[in-house]
Amino acid sequence: MKRGIIALGLLASLNAYSQESYVPQAGEGIVYFLPKTKVAIDIIATKVNYQPGDFSLYASRYLRLNDVNTQPESHWEIKDIHVRLVGIPDSTKAYIMKLKDKSVASNVELTDKGIVKAINTTSTEKESAPDYKLETPEPHENARKYMTEDILMAGSSAKMAELTAREIYNIRDSKNIILRGQAETMPKDGASLQLVIDQLNKQEKALTQTFTGTTDRKDKVFTFLVEPDNNAQEQIAARFSAQLGVLPTNNLAGDPIYVSIRNTSTLPVPEEEGKKKKKIDGVIYNVPGKGNVTVSYQGKKLFNDEMSFTQFGHTEVLVDGLFDKKINTRVVFNSTTGGILKIDKD
């Protein structure tokens, strides 16, 4: 009677599980969760900042550069969207794996949230979030260190701009002379030649930016979780605005980013599914089904693929006989779907 009360108490505490990690407790068995699947949408957005150059007003006059913006400007762009699946503990599927003398199913590996990963072996599945290569602003060269004394001593911005443009043309002429092999003193080898050209390119770019301005790009990842919902094929995962960036669903300043998850599973559902099942001792696991996931923005599909979902499948049982002491059975589970990745025995 006392053991039954302990088990009921553990199950009651599991059903109260919300978003926090659950640490399996010692008792008459090992407590574990099966996962339910959510779609994680990683939106990589880029913030673009433009700063006009000191001589932007003179870009057309001295360098024949038209349409140079003379005002600071900032906006956002969607660089990429990645879609992946994550498993979170399902509070409706919490179980106790009882420790029995005749069973060797006591060597159980769990995630830090209590989801079963492996029995009698170690899972090689990684739980870390993806490591995206994000673009960050690079420092800009200080153009003033390439300005001549005449430029720096000029009495007006217009004169400085004129002399700076002249210096840019001089640098270009120098590069052409070297590349044609007409310089009085040529670099001794290819490496030296490349070094000289690179230095001249650096000077030209820094001085040109005093007219064209500079643009900095910085990436940021925004992640949104979406759970399959049979009642709504098109769910708003987030919103996006070129002025404000990635926004939550309730901010109408942005256009919606839609996600649709459609059940495409053709797995036969067991006859007893949905009914009161006969109690079977063993390890309960998920048989995930399939679902088609699409992500769209402004009428364009940004992602379209079929993925595995626990919600579109059913549960099965690995009976206790597989874990008899005479048989060494090893099982590895997918902690995102709860399905079996590998099972072998000897």
Side-chain angles (χ1 to χ4, degrees), residues 18-291:
S18 58
Q19 297 291 330
E20 300 176 359
S21 298
Y22 177 81
V23 179
Q25 302 172 11
E28 62 176 13
I30 298 172
V31 180
Y32 70 95
F33 287 104
L34 292 183
K36 63 179 176 180
T37 312
K38 287 192 175 184
V39 175
I41 302 174
D42 296 330
I43 303 172
I44 302 178
T46 305
K47 187 172 185 180
V48 183
N49 286 314
Y50 167 78
Q51 288 295 327
D54 293 340
F55 307 140
S56 59
L57 292 172
Y58 308 100
S60 178
R61 182 190 302 180
Y62 295 122
L63 293 182
R64 299 295 185 266
L65 296 173
N66 300 319
D67 301 325
V68 171
N69 192 355
T70 60
Q71 298 297 322
E73 190 265 337
S74 179
H75 69 274
W76 286 85
E77 300 172 355
I78 294 180
K79 184 175 185 178
D80 204 355
I81 288 185
H82 295 268
V83 179
R84 55 193 172 89
L85 298 179
V86 296
I88 65 168
D90 188 343
S91 60
T92 66
K93 293 181 180 179
Y95 304 99
I96 297 177
M97 192 181 302
K98 294 183 179 180
L99 304 181
K100 299 179 180 180
D101 293 338
K102 295 182 179 180
S103 174
V104 292
S106 57
N107 181 15
V108 180
E109 183 184 9
L110 307 176
T111 69
D112 58 354
K113 294 183 179 179
I115 297 174
V116 63
K117 290 180 66 176
I119 298 176
N120 294 334
T121 186
T122 301
S123 172
T124 58
E125 184 182 22
K126 295 182 180 179
E127 297 179 48
S128 58
D131 184 19
Y132 298 118
K133 292 183 179 179
L134 303 180
E135 187 176 1
T136 56
E138 295 182 359
H140 300 289
E141 275 301 302
N142 182 4
R144 287 187 170 270
K145 70 181 183 180
Y146 301 121
M147 291 182 177
T148 64
E149 183 179 358
D150 288 342
I151 297 174
L152 296 173
M153 296 297 291
S156 67
S157 294
K159 188 62 177 178
M160 290 183 70
E162 179 185 354
L163 295 175
T164 300
R166 190 177 300 171
E167 185 66 16
I168 292 171
Y169 290 127
N170 289 337
I171 292 172
R172 292 175 182 175
D173 288 342
S174 297
K175 286 196 297 182
N176 287 333
I177 290 172
I178 293 173
L179 291 173
R180 290 169 184 164
Q182 298 173 351
E184 293 182 4
T185 306
M186 287 293 296
K188 296 180 180 180
D189 51 40
S192 300
L193 173 63
Q194 188 61 52
L195 191 63
V196 172
I197 295 299
D198 288 345
Q199 183 61 31
L200 290 173
N201 284 336
K202 183 187 294 185
Q203 294 179 21
E204 181 186 354
K205 180 180 178 181
L207 293 174
T208 302
Q209 284 178 340
T210 62
F211 292 91
T212 61
T214 58
T215 300
D216 291 322
R217 302 175 63 87
K218 184 176 182 180
D219 292 343
K220 187 175 181 181
V221 180
F222 300 84
T223 300
F224 299 89
L225 294 181
V226 178
E227 188 169 350
D229 186 350
N230 291 326
N231 298 322
Q233 285 301 314
E234 280 198 338
Q235 302 181 59
I236 299 177
R239 293 180 181 270
F240 180 79
S241 162
Q243 289 73 38
L244 302 175
V246 180
L247 304 170
T249 58
N250 59 356
N251 192 330
L252 302 182
D255 293 331
I257 297 174
Y258 292 106
V259 57
S260 293
I261 307 171
R262 181 171 53 88
N263 187 351
T264 59
S265 181
T266 56
L267 289 175
V269 178
E271 293 182 5
E272 292 187 347
E273 187 74 15
K275 301 178 182 179
K276 187 174 181 180
K277 292 186 177 183
K278 180 181 178 181
K279 184 177 179 182
I280 302 176
D281 288 334
V283 179
I284 301 175
Y285 67 96
N286 286 327
V287 178
K290 294 290 184 180

